[in-house]
Amino acid sequence: MASTGAVQLGYPLYFLNLLGIWKILGVITVLIPKFPLLKEWAYAGFFIAMSGAIFSQLSSGNPLQKILPSLLLLILTLVSWYFRPADRKVNLTYL
């Protein structure tokens, strides 16, 4: 159960609710058209969440099998960000 794992890592249970809500909002943001800057923030949030999960598992001394799901999601996040369509990228020509 996810709550058991969070408690073992030292996180309070309310953190799971907060993280879950932000992840759902991030997925919606990535899937809807337009808002490229908001999409960049969503990808950054996914990267921070997954890299934080990896470091939490590593610092707890957990075996590789507990780290792999977070690592896979981090890799999928990076691949999705890198191969996103051009119309979903931030246009920096105005800066």
Side-chain angles (χ1 to χ4, degrees), residues 3-7 9 16 19 21 29 34 37-39 44 48 55-56 61 73-74 77 87 93:
S3 61
T4 310
V7 171
L9 291 172
L16 294 177
L19 194 57
I21 291 168
T29 301
K34 302 197 181 187
L37 185 59
L38 196 56
K39 289 180 191 314
I48 291 167
F55 284 111
S56 292
L73 288 172
L74 179 65
T77 297
D87 64 335
T93 58

Side-chain angles (χ1 to χ4, degrees), residues 38-79:
L38 196 56
K39 289 180 191 314
E40 292 293 322
W41 280 95
Y43 277 115
F46 289 136
F47 181 84
I48 291 167
M50 289 305 103
S51 60
I54 291 168
F55 284 111
S56 292
Q57 295 289 348
L58 286 172
S59 67
S60 296
N62 287 330
L64 185 62
Q65 72 183 41
K66 290 210 173 194
I67 299 169
L68 285 178
S70 300
L71 183 61
L72 176 64
L73 288 172
L74 179 65
I75 291 169
L76 289 174
T77 297
L78 291 172
V79 168

